[in-house]
Amino acid sequence: MAKPNYDFAKRQRELAKKAKKEEKLRKKAEGAEDAEGAEGTSGSETEDTESDGDAAPADDTTPPA
């Protein structure tokens, strides 16, 4: 019967733990970028629609009295 390779098993556990940690950090950073990106993109999207000239402003929903 073959002898178990404990060093290999330990290394595999360490690599799995490292990958899980990096994935968690990546998701956390992605969430922070989404929060910042949402504020930044909303301003750039309104600039793009205003530059077209044909589109009416989005915040003008009530007719003048």
Side-chain angles (χ1 to χ4, degrees), residues 26-40:
R26 186 186 62 79
K27 284 185 178 182
K28 186 176 181 180
E30 187 176 281
E33 289 175 1
D34 288 344
E36 292 174 3
E39 295 172 3

Side-chain angles (χ1 to χ4, degrees), residues 34-51:
D34 288 344
E36 292 174 3
E39 295 172 3
T41 56
S42 64
S44 64
E45 289 175 358
T46 56
E47 291 174 4
D48 292 341
T49 57
E50 290 175 4
S51 64

